[in-house]
Amino acid sequence: ELKVEQNPLFLSMQEGKNYTIYCNYSTTSDRLYWYRQDPGKSLESLFVLLSNGAVKQEGRLMASLDTKARLSTLHITAAVHDLSATYFCAVDMYEGNTPLVFGKGTRLSVIA
Amino acid sequence: EAEVAQSPRYKITEKSQAVAFWCDPISGHATLYWYRQILGQGPELLVQFQDESVVDDSQLPKDRFSAERLKGVDSTLKIQPAELGDSAMYLCASSALFEQFFGPGTRLTVL
């Protein structure tokens, strides 16, 4: 059974600090997705990582993928309150155009 | 910008009633997914369509849930009868290649 594990599940951090969210998965998938979800809202695509060593950055968020370690990280730099949300990583269930298997999510709260 | 449309956005129903949700994918997207997200958890697949055909419905509780995509465009998900445990967000997503785009979701509350 494919498993996607995120940690931490809850993260409270001060504005201006840095932190990393980790996503481990159990398949040999070469693709990994990061989504953001605000309370009561749908999923917003943040990053699509397509190969080993892929690194993408948008604003204060940077995501990377190590397919050999089956690990992705989402690094937050100098956190601001607007980043408060739940972040999900997901991988393809199979190869090709397939459903996603999601982690449980990391609920991030940025406090002043 | 093209978006996935869903309706209704919110639905409150009583236990044992029937409910239906509608999804209109991004134009040209052949693959459509329905996911269920229970509060505090990640979304989980209910059913996947490729055009009008069901590709994967292994996680769909078929005794009470049904899904169709008759013309390979929009899709309907039905629950009959609804149970208390069905309270969740129902998300529709579509894709052309592999990246999935999600609609706003339908928040279902069963009383």
Side-chain angles (χ1 to χ4, degrees):
Chain A
E1 179 188 347
L2 171 55
K3 292 185 179 179
V4 180
E5 296 183 347
Q6 287 182 238
N7 69 84
L9 297 182
F10 298 93
L11 176 57
S12 179
M13 56 188 299
Q14 286 188 313
E15 283 188 328
K17 298 293 187 183
N18 304 333
Y19 208 82
T20 300
I21 299 170
Y22 297 88
C23 175
N24 290 91
Y25 56 96
S26 61
T27 72
T28 56
S29 176
D30 285 342
R31 290 199 295 251
L32 189 131
Y33 309 82
W34 284 98
Y35 289 89
R36 168 180 171 147
Q37 187 175 40
D38 292 298
K41 304 292 186 181
S42 187
L43 298 171
E44 173 191 355
S45 179
L46 293 175
F47 301 109
V48 180
L49 303 171
L50 297 177
S51 61
N52 186 40
V55 177
K56 290 195 173 180
Q57 183 165 4
E58 180 73 32
R60 300 174 188 274
L61 300 177
M62 183 174 71
S64 65
L65 178 62
D66 181 344
T67 58
K68 294 180 181 178
R70 299 181 187 176
L71 170 69
S72 180
T73 60
L74 181 66
H75 187 72
I76 303 158
T77 302
V80 293
H81 180 70
D82 286 351
L83 290 179
S84 297
T86 300
Y87 294 85
F88 291 95
C89 64
V91 296
D92 294 315
M93 189 179 292
Y94 315 109
E95 288 189 25
N97 202 354
T98 87
L100 295 175
V101 178
F102 287 82
K104 292 185 183 296
T106 297
R107 183 182 295 182
L108 171 65
S109 177
V110 181
I111 56 177
Chain B
E1 183 176 316
E3 295 181 341
V4 177
Q6 287 188 250
S7 67
R9 296 289 304 279
Y10 305 92
K11 179 69 178 179
I12 300 174
T13 191
E14 292 187 343
K15 187 175 62 172
S16 80
Q17 296 298 304
V19 293
F21 313 134
W22 176 80
C23 172
D24 191 12
I26 293 172
S27 178
H29 282 193
T31 310
L32 184 147
Y33 307 85
W34 284 101
Y35 291 88
R36 177 170 61 182
Q37 184 180 23
I38 295 171
L39 191 64
Q41 299 183 20
E44 295 183 337
L45 178 74
L46 290 173
V47 61
Q48 176 188 358
F49 288 93
Q50 181 70 27
D51 299 309
E52 67 276 8
S53 300
V54 173
V55 174
D56 186 345
D57 64 355
S58 58
Q59 301 303 310
L60 189 71
K62 299 182 189 63
D63 57 335
R64 297 185 301 107
F65 286 64
S66 64
E68 60 183 16
R69 193 183 183 197
L70 292 177
K71 296 182 179 179
V73 182
D74 58 337
S75 175
T76 302
L77 178 69
K78 297 179 180 177
I79 308 174
Q80 182 172 17
E83 296 181 353
L84 296 177
D86 296 331
S87 294
M89 175 80 89
Y90 291 81
L91 294 164
C92 178
S94 70
S95 68
L97 294 176
F98 53 85
E99 185 175 5
Q100 295 182 27
F101 298 88
F102 285 81
T106 296
R107 168 73 66 187
L108 173 66
T109 301
V110 182
L111 303 175

mmCIF file of all heavy atoms in Angstrom, chain A residues 36-77:
data_model
loop_
_atom_site.group_PDB
_atom_site.id
_atom_site.type_symbol
_atom_site.label_atom_id
_atom_site.label_comp_id
_atom_site.label_asym_id
_atom_site.label_seq_id
_atom_site.Cartn_x
_atom_site.Cartn_y
_atom_site.Cartn_z
ATOM 1 N N ARG A 36 -1.503 23.847 -1.225
ATOM 2 C CA ARG A 36 -1.862 24.648 -0.057
ATOM 3 C C ARG A 36 -3.383 24.655 0.065
ATOM 4 O O ARG A 36 -4.103 24.727 -0.944
ATOM 5 C CB ARG A 36 -1.364 26.079 -0.222
ATOM 6 C CG ARG A 36 -1.936 27.053 0.811
ATOM 7 C CD ARG A 36 -1.447 28.446 0.634
ATOM 8 N NE ARG A 36 -2.197 29.364 1.506
ATOM 9 C CZ ARG A 36 -1.685 30.441 2.065
ATOM 10 N NH1 ARG A 36 -0.400 30.780 1.852
ATOM 11 N NH2 ARG A 36 -2.430 31.208 2.840
ATOM 12 N N GLN A 37 -3.861 24.584 1.303
ATOM 13 C CA GLN A 37 -5.303 24.653 1.534
ATOM 14 C C GLN A 37 -5.586 25.605 2.694
ATOM 15 O O GLN A 37 -5.096 25.398 3.807
ATOM 16 C CB GLN A 37 -5.890 23.272 1.843
ATOM 17 C CG GLN A 37 -7.406 23.271 1.925
ATOM 18 C CD GLN A 37 -7.974 21.869 2.102
ATOM 19 O OE1 GLN A 37 -7.433 21.059 2.842
ATOM 20 N NE2 GLN A 37 -9.070 21.585 1.409
ATOM 21 N N ASP A 38 -6.372 26.635 2.425
ATOM 22 C CA ASP A 38 -6.842 27.528 3.473
ATOM 23 C C ASP A 38 -8.127 26.952 4.061
ATOM 24 O O ASP A 38 -8.842 26.199 3.383
ATOM 25 C CB ASP A 38 -7.069 28.924 2.901
ATOM 26 C CG ASP A 38 -5.757 29.582 2.508
ATOM 27 O OD1 ASP A 38 -4.918 29.784 3.407
ATOM 28 O OD2 ASP A 38 -5.559 29.868 1.314
ATOM 29 N N PRO A 39 -8.437 27.303 5.308
ATOM 30 C CA PRO A 39 -9.609 26.708 5.978
ATOM 31 C C PRO A 39 -10.890 26.845 5.162
ATOM 32 O O PRO A 39 -11.238 27.942 4.713
ATOM 33 C CB PRO A 39 -9.694 27.508 7.285
ATOM 34 C CG PRO A 39 -8.295 27.941 7.543
ATOM 35 C CD PRO A 39 -7.697 28.218 6.193
ATOM 36 N N GLY A 40 -11.563 25.746 4.950
ATOM 37 C CA GLY A 40 -12.829 25.744 4.219
ATOM 38 C C GLY A 40 -12.692 25.914 2.719
ATOM 39 O O GLY A 40 -13.702 26.010 2.016
ATOM 40 N N LYS A 41 -11.475 25.957 2.234
ATOM 41 C CA LYS A 41 -11.243 26.187 0.804
ATOM 42 C C LYS A 41 -10.724 24.926 0.127
ATOM 43 O O LYS A 41 -10.445 23.922 0.770
ATOM 44 C CB LYS A 41 -10.228 27.323 0.613
ATOM 45 C CG LYS A 41 -10.600 28.616 1.280
ATOM 46 C CD LYS A 41 -11.805 29.260 0.635
ATOM 47 C CE LYS A 41 -12.065 30.624 1.245
ATOM 48 N NZ LYS A 41 -13.269 31.262 0.649
ATOM 49 N N SER A 42 -10.573 25.024 -1.196
ATOM 50 C CA SER A 42 -10.057 23.896 -1.962
ATOM 51 C C SER A 42 -8.529 23.908 -1.977
ATOM 52 O O SER A 42 -7.891 24.683 -1.267
ATOM 53 C CB SER A 42 -10.610 23.957 -3.383
ATOM 54 O OG SER A 42 -10.265 22.791 -4.087
ATOM 55 N N LEU A 43 -7.970 23.068 -2.793
ATOM 56 C CA LEU A 43 -6.520 22.908 -2.868
ATOM 57 C C LEU A 43 -5.945 23.801 -3.957
ATOM 58 O O LEU A 43 -6.410 23.796 -5.094
ATOM 59 C CB LEU A 43 -6.162 21.455 -3.178
ATOM 60 C CG LEU A 43 -6.592 20.437 -2.143
ATOM 61 C CD1 LEU A 43 -6.383 19.029 -2.670
ATOM 62 C CD2 LEU A 43 -5.788 20.623 -0.863
ATOM 63 N N GLU A 44 -4.886 24.510 -3.599
ATOM 64 C CA GLU A 44 -4.180 25.361 -4.545
ATOM 65 C C GLU A 44 -2.836 24.726 -4.848
ATOM 66 O O GLU A 44 -2.062 24.425 -3.925
ATOM 67 C CB GLU A 44 -3.976 26.750 -3.946
ATOM 68 C CG GLU A 44 -3.114 27.681 -4.772
ATOM 69 C CD GLU A 44 -2.722 28.937 -4.023
ATOM 70 O OE1 GLU A 44 -3.206 29.140 -2.888
ATOM 71 O OE2 GLU A 44 -1.918 29.722 -4.556
ATOM 72 N N SER A 45 -2.547 24.513 -6.113
ATOM 73 C CA SER A 45 -1.280 23.905 -6.493
ATOM 74 C C SER A 45 -0.138 24.871 -6.243
ATOM 75 O O SER A 45 -0.183 26.028 -6.657
ATOM 76 C CB SER A 45 -1.315 23.518 -7.967
ATOM 77 O OG SER A 45 -0.080 22.947 -8.352
ATOM 78 N N LEU A 46 0.879 24.385 -5.531
ATOM 79 C CA LEU A 46 2.070 25.196 -5.279
ATOM 80 C C LEU A 46 3.218 24.785 -6.204
ATOM 81 O O LEU A 46 3.799 25.608 -6.891
ATOM 82 C CB LEU A 46 2.519 25.042 -3.826
ATOM 83 C CG LEU A 46 1.612 25.606 -2.742
ATOM 84 C CD1 LEU A 46 2.159 25.265 -1.364
ATOM 85 C CD2 LEU A 46 1.449 27.107 -2.900
ATOM 86 N N PHE A 47 3.572 23.507 -6.160
ATOM 87 C CA PHE A 47 4.715 23.021 -6.924
ATOM 88 C C PHE A 47 4.411 21.646 -7.507
ATOM 89 O O PHE A 47 3.745 20.839 -6.869
ATOM 90 C CB PHE A 47 5.962 22.903 -6.040
ATOM 91 C CG PHE A 47 6.396 24.188 -5.391
ATOM 92 C CD1 PHE A 47 6.233 24.372 -4.028
ATOM 93 C CD2 PHE A 47 6.968 25.204 -6.145
ATOM 94 C CE1 PHE A 47 6.620 25.548 -3.422
ATOM 95 C CE2 PHE A 47 7.373 26.387 -5.542
ATOM 96 C CZ PHE A 47 7.198 26.557 -4.175
ATOM 97 N N VAL A 48 4.954 21.411 -8.688
ATOM 98 C CA VAL A 48 4.978 20.083 -9.280
ATOM 99 C C VAL A 48 6.443 19.752 -9.517
ATOM 100 O O VAL A 48 7.123 20.435 -10.286
ATOM 101 C CB VAL A 48 4.204 20.023 -10.611
ATOM 102 C CG1 VAL A 48 4.258 18.609 -11.177
ATOM 103 C CG2 VAL A 48 2.772 20.470 -10.417
ATOM 104 N N LEU A 49 6.935 18.735 -8.852
ATOM 105 C CA LEU A 49 8.336 18.325 -8.957
ATOM 106 C C LEU A 49 8.379 17.068 -9.809
ATOM 107 O O LEU A 49 7.742 16.069 -9.480
ATOM 108 C CB LEU A 49 8.919 18.076 -7.571
ATOM 109 C CG LEU A 49 8.821 19.279 -6.612
ATOM 110 C CD1 LEU A 49 9.210 18.879 -5.200
ATOM 111 C CD2 LEU A 49 9.701 20.409 -7.109
ATOM 112 N N LEU A 50 9.140 17.126 -10.905
ATOM 113 C CA LEU A 50 9.029 16.079 -11.928
ATOM 114 C C LEU A 50 10.205 15.115 -12.003
ATOM 115 O O LEU A 50 10.146 14.140 -12.763
ATOM 116 C CB LEU A 50 8.819 16.725 -13.298
ATOM 117 C CG LEU A 50 7.536 17.537 -13.437
ATOM 118 C CD1 LEU A 50 7.483 18.179 -14.812
ATOM 119 C CD2 LEU A 50 6.316 16.651 -13.217
ATOM 120 N N SER A 51 11.268 15.384 -11.277
ATOM 121 C CA SER A 51 12.407 14.484 -11.408
ATOM 122 C C SER A 51 13.308 14.592 -10.190
ATOM 123 O O SER A 51 13.225 15.547 -9.406
ATOM 124 C CB SER A 51 13.206 14.820 -12.663
ATOM 125 O OG SER A 51 13.703 16.139 -12.580
ATOM 126 N N ASN A 52 14.203 13.638 -10.082
ATOM 127 C CA ASN A 52 15.137 13.627 -8.967
ATOM 128 C C ASN A 52 15.996 14.900 -8.999
ATOM 129 O O ASN A 52 16.496 15.288 -10.050
ATOM 130 C CB ASN A 52 16.031 12.398 -9.035
ATOM 131 C CG ASN A 52 16.922 12.278 -7.823
ATOM 132 O OD1 ASN A 52 16.493 12.540 -6.702
ATOM 133 N ND2 ASN A 52 18.168 11.909 -8.034
ATOM 134 N N GLY A 53 16.126 15.522 -7.849
ATOM 135 C CA GLY A 53 16.936 16.731 -7.778
ATOM 136 C C GLY A 53 16.197 18.001 -8.119
ATOM 137 O O GLY A 53 16.771 19.090 -8.069
ATOM 138 N N ALA A 54 14.922 17.884 -8.486
ATOM 139 C CA ALA A 54 14.150 19.079 -8.859
ATOM 140 C C ALA A 54 14.029 20.014 -7.667
ATOM 141 O O ALA A 54 13.815 19.583 -6.539
ATOM 142 C CB ALA A 54 12.769 18.674 -9.355
ATOM 143 N N VAL A 55 14.185 21.277 -7.951
ATOM 144 C CA VAL A 55 14.023 22.316 -6.937
ATOM 145 C C VAL A 55 13.204 23.438 -7.562
ATOM 146 O O VAL A 55 13.490 23.878 -8.671
ATOM 147 C CB VAL A 55 15.375 22.880 -6.456
ATOM 148 C CG1 VAL A 55 15.148 24.017 -5.449
ATOM 149 C CG2 VAL A 55 16.228 21.779 -5.831
ATOM 150 N N LYS A 56 12.174 23.870 -6.839
ATOM 151 C CA LYS A 56 11.364 24.993 -7.317
ATOM 152 C C LYS A 56 11.151 25.974 -6.178
ATOM 153 O O LYS A 56 11.009 25.576 -5.024
ATOM 154 C CB LYS A 56 10.029 24.498 -7.864
ATOM 155 C CG LYS A 56 10.160 23.740 -9.173
ATOM 156 C CD LYS A 56 8.827 23.601 -9.858
ATOM 157 C CE LYS A 56 8.989 22.997 -11.231
ATOM 158 N NZ LYS A 56 7.693 22.848 -11.933
ATOM 159 N N GLN A 57 11.107 27.248 -6.540
ATOM 160 C CA GLN A 57 10.935 28.289 -5.527
ATOM 161 C C GLN A 57 9.879 29.278 -5.976
ATOM 162 O O GLN A 57 9.785 29.628 -7.148
ATOM 163 C CB GLN A 57 12.249 29.019 -5.257
ATOM 164 C CG GLN A 57 12.152 30.068 -4.156
ATOM 165 C CD GLN A 57 13.505 30.524 -3.662
ATOM 166 O OE1 GLN A 57 14.540 30.121 -4.181
ATOM 167 N NE2 GLN A 57 13.510 31.356 -2.628
ATOM 168 N N GLU A 58 9.062 29.693 -5.011
ATOM 169 C CA GLU A 58 8.067 30.720 -5.259
ATOM 170 C C GLU A 58 7.959 31.549 -3.993
ATOM 171 O O GLU A 58 7.473 31.081 -2.965
ATOM 172 C CB GLU A 58 6.713 30.100 -5.605
ATOM 173 C CG GLU A 58 5.612 31.101 -5.886
ATOM 174 C CD GLU A 58 5.782 31.786 -7.230
ATOM 175 O OE1 GLU A 58 6.306 31.156 -8.153
ATOM 176 O OE2 GLU A 58 5.394 32.959 -7.324
ATOM 177 N N GLY A 59 8.464 32.765 -4.080
ATOM 178 C CA GLY A 59 8.411 33.626 -2.907
ATOM 179 C C GLY A 59 9.220 33.047 -1.751
ATOM 180 O O GLY A 59 10.385 32.703 -1.898
ATOM 181 N N ARG A 60 8.577 32.880 -0.629
ATOM 182 C CA ARG A 60 9.254 32.369 0.567
ATOM 183 C C ARG A 60 9.231 30.845 0.667
ATOM 184 O O ARG A 60 9.676 30.280 1.679
ATOM 185 C CB ARG A 60 8.580 32.968 1.803
ATOM 186 C CG ARG A 60 8.638 34.483 1.840
ATOM 187 C CD ARG A 60 7.841 35.049 3.007
ATOM 188 N NE ARG A 60 7.747 36.497 2.927
ATOM 189 C CZ ARG A 60 8.659 37.328 3.396
ATOM 190 N NH1 ARG A 60 9.739 36.845 4.008
ATOM 191 N NH2 ARG A 60 8.503 38.625 3.273
ATOM 192 N N LEU A 61 8.713 30.179 -0.319
ATOM 193 C CA LEU A 61 8.616 28.722 -0.306
ATOM 194 C C LEU A 61 9.551 28.123 -1.339
ATOM 195 O O LEU A 61 9.627 28.614 -2.465
ATOM 196 C CB LEU A 61 7.181 28.272 -0.602
ATOM 197 C CG LEU A 61 6.099 28.746 0.354
ATOM 198 C CD1 LEU A 61 4.726 28.256 -0.133
ATOM 199 C CD2 LEU A 61 6.359 28.255 1.763
ATOM 200 N N MET A 62 10.234 27.047 -0.935
ATOM 201 C CA MET A 62 11.090 26.313 -1.851
ATOM 202 C C MET A 62 10.871 24.820 -1.624
ATOM 203 O O MET A 62 10.927 24.350 -0.490
ATOM 204 C CB MET A 62 12.561 26.652 -1.640
ATOM 205 C CG MET A 62 13.493 25.970 -2.631
ATOM 206 S SD MET A 62 15.195 26.495 -2.475
ATOM 207 C CE MET A 62 15.649 25.750 -0.929
ATOM 208 N N ALA A 63 10.644 24.101 -2.709
ATOM 209 C CA ALA A 63 10.412 22.667 -2.624
ATOM 210 C C ALA A 63 11.507 21.929 -3.377
ATOM 211 O O ALA A 63 11.992 22.397 -4.405
ATOM 212 C CB ALA A 63 9.046 22.313 -3.202
ATOM 213 N N SER A 64 11.854 20.750 -2.851
ATOM 214 C CA SER A 64 12.868 19.926 -3.496
ATOM 215 C C SER A 64 12.433 18.473 -3.453
ATOM 216 O O SER A 64 11.582 18.082 -2.649
ATOM 217 C CB SER A 64 14.224 20.084 -2.796
ATOM 218 O OG SER A 64 14.153 19.576 -1.468
ATOM 219 N N LEU A 65 13.043 17.671 -4.343
ATOM 220 C CA LEU A 65 12.674 16.268 -4.439
ATOM 221 C C LEU A 65 13.921 15.403 -4.557
ATOM 222 O O LEU A 65 14.782 15.656 -5.409
ATOM 223 C CB LEU A 65 11.769 16.035 -5.657
ATOM 224 C CG LEU A 65 11.343 14.602 -5.924
ATOM 225 C CD1 LEU A 65 10.520 14.042 -4.765
ATOM 226 C CD2 LEU A 65 10.547 14.518 -7.231
ATOM 227 N N ASP A 66 14.004 14.387 -3.730
ATOM 228 C CA ASP A 66 15.058 13.373 -3.796
ATOM 229 C C ASP A 66 14.358 12.038 -3.970
ATOM 230 O O ASP A 66 13.864 11.450 -3.001
ATOM 231 C CB ASP A 66 15.884 13.400 -2.500
ATOM 232 C CG ASP A 66 17.025 12.381 -2.503
ATOM 233 O OD1 ASP A 66 16.998 11.466 -3.353
ATOM 234 O OD2 ASP A 66 17.915 12.495 -1.659
ATOM 235 N N THR A 67 14.293 11.557 -5.206
ATOM 236 C CA THR A 67 13.544 10.325 -5.467
ATOM 237 C C THR A 67 14.257 9.091 -4.933
ATOM 238 O O THR A 67 13.620 8.094 -4.631
ATOM 239 C CB THR A 67 13.296 10.144 -6.975
ATOM 240 O OG1 THR A 67 14.559 10.117 -7.642
ATOM 241 C CG2 THR A 67 12.438 11.253 -7.528
ATOM 242 N N LYS A 68 15.563 9.183 -4.791
ATOM 243 C CA LYS A 68 16.291 8.021 -4.260
ATOM 244 C C LYS A 68 15.980 7.827 -2.786
ATOM 245 O O LYS A 68 15.831 6.694 -2.317
ATOM 246 C CB LYS A 68 17.786 8.200 -4.486
ATOM 247 C CG LYS A 68 18.177 8.184 -5.960
ATOM 248 C CD LYS A 68 19.672 8.369 -6.153
ATOM 249 C CE LYS A 68 20.011 8.370 -7.653
ATOM 250 N NZ LYS A 68 21.461 8.591 -7.890
ATOM 251 N N ALA A 69 15.885 8.920 -2.059
ATOM 252 C CA ALA A 69 15.516 8.865 -0.643
ATOM 253 C C ALA A 69 14.010 8.848 -0.452
ATOM 254 O O ALA A 69 13.534 8.683 0.679
ATOM 255 C CB ALA A 69 16.116 10.050 0.097
ATOM 256 N N ARG A 70 13.255 9.030 -1.542
ATOM 257 C CA ARG A 70 11.785 9.120 -1.485
ATOM 258 C C ARG A 70 11.373 10.192 -0.484
ATOM 259 O O ARG A 70 10.549 9.959 0.413
ATOM 260 C CB ARG A 70 11.184 7.762 -1.145
ATOM 261 C CG ARG A 70 11.534 6.713 -2.186
ATOM 262 C CD ARG A 70 10.936 5.371 -1.896
ATOM 263 N NE ARG A 70 11.431 4.375 -2.829
ATOM 264 C CZ ARG A 70 11.136 3.093 -2.779
ATOM 265 N NH1 ARG A 70 10.339 2.643 -1.833
ATOM 266 N NH2 ARG A 70 11.633 2.250 -3.657
ATOM 267 N N LEU A 71 11.963 11.363 -0.696
ATOM 268 C CA LEU A 71 11.782 12.458 0.254
ATOM 269 C C LEU A 71 11.641 13.766 -0.494
ATOM 270 O O LEU A 71 12.393 14.059 -1.432
ATOM 271 C CB LEU A 71 12.984 12.540 1.194
ATOM 272 C CG LEU A 71 13.087 13.768 2.093
ATOM 273 C CD1 LEU A 71 11.979 13.746 3.147
ATOM 274 C CD2 LEU A 71 14.457 13.837 2.747
ATOM 275 N N SER A 72 10.667 14.547 -0.077
ATOM 276 C CA SER A 72 10.540 15.913 -0.560
ATOM 277 C C SER A 72 10.503 16.838 0.643
ATOM 278 O O SER A 72 10.013 16.463 1.708
ATOM 279 C CB SER A 72 9.277 16.091 -1.404
ATOM 280 O OG SER A 72 9.158 17.423 -1.862
ATOM 281 N N THR A 73 11.025 18.041 0.454
ATOM 282 C CA THR A 73 10.982 19.031 1.521
ATOM 283 C C THR A 73 10.336 20.309 1.008
ATOM 284 O O THR A 73 10.445 20.649 -0.177
ATOM 285 C CB THR A 73 12.388 19.355 2.052
ATOM 286 O OG1 THR A 73 13.179 19.876 0.983
ATOM 287 C CG2 THR A 73 13.060 18.122 2.625
ATOM 288 N N LEU A 74 9.652 20.979 1.903
ATOM 289 C CA LEU A 74 9.092 22.304 1.626
ATOM 290 C C LEU A 74 9.694 23.242 2.659
ATOM 291 O O LEU A 74 9.405 23.121 3.851
ATOM 292 C CB LEU A 74 7.572 22.281 1.732
ATOM 293 C CG LEU A 74 6.862 23.614 1.438
ATOM 294 C CD1 LEU A 74 7.050 24.015 -0.021
ATOM 295 C CD2 LEU A 74 5.367 23.527 1.766
ATOM 296 N N HIS A 75 10.562 24.129 2.183
ATOM 297 C CA HIS A 75 11.282 25.019 3.090
ATOM 298 C C HIS A 75 10.634 26.393 3.090
ATOM 299 O O HIS A 75 10.326 26.944 2.026
ATOM 300 C CB HIS A 75 12.748 25.132 2.669
ATOM 301 C CG HIS A 75 13.574 25.901 3.642
ATOM 302 N ND1 HIS A 75 13.930 25.411 4.881
ATOM 303 C CD2 HIS A 75 14.089 27.162 3.568
ATOM 304 C CE1 HIS A 75 14.643 26.320 5.533
ATOM 305 N NE2 HIS A 75 14.757 27.382 4.756
ATOM 306 N N ILE A 76 10.442 26.896 4.287
ATOM 307 C CA ILE A 76 9.824 28.206 4.465
ATOM 308 C C ILE A 76 10.894 29.173 4.973
ATOM 309 O O ILE A 76 11.554 28.894 5.990
ATOM 310 C CB ILE A 76 8.682 28.131 5.482
ATOM 311 C CG1 ILE A 76 7.655 27.094 5.038
ATOM 312 C CG2 ILE A 76 8.025 29.496 5.671
ATOM 313 C CD1 ILE A 76 6.803 26.556 6.153
ATOM 314 N N THR A 77 11.048 30.247 4.257
ATOM 315 C CA THR A 77 12.063 31.246 4.626
ATOM 316 C C THR A 77 11.396 32.519 5.131
ATOM 317 O O THR A 77 10.505 33.051 4.474
ATOM 318 C CB THR A 77 12.939 31.586 3.415
ATOM 319 O OG1 THR A 77 13.559 30.391 2.942
ATOM 320 C CG2 THR A 77 14.014 32.597 3.789
#
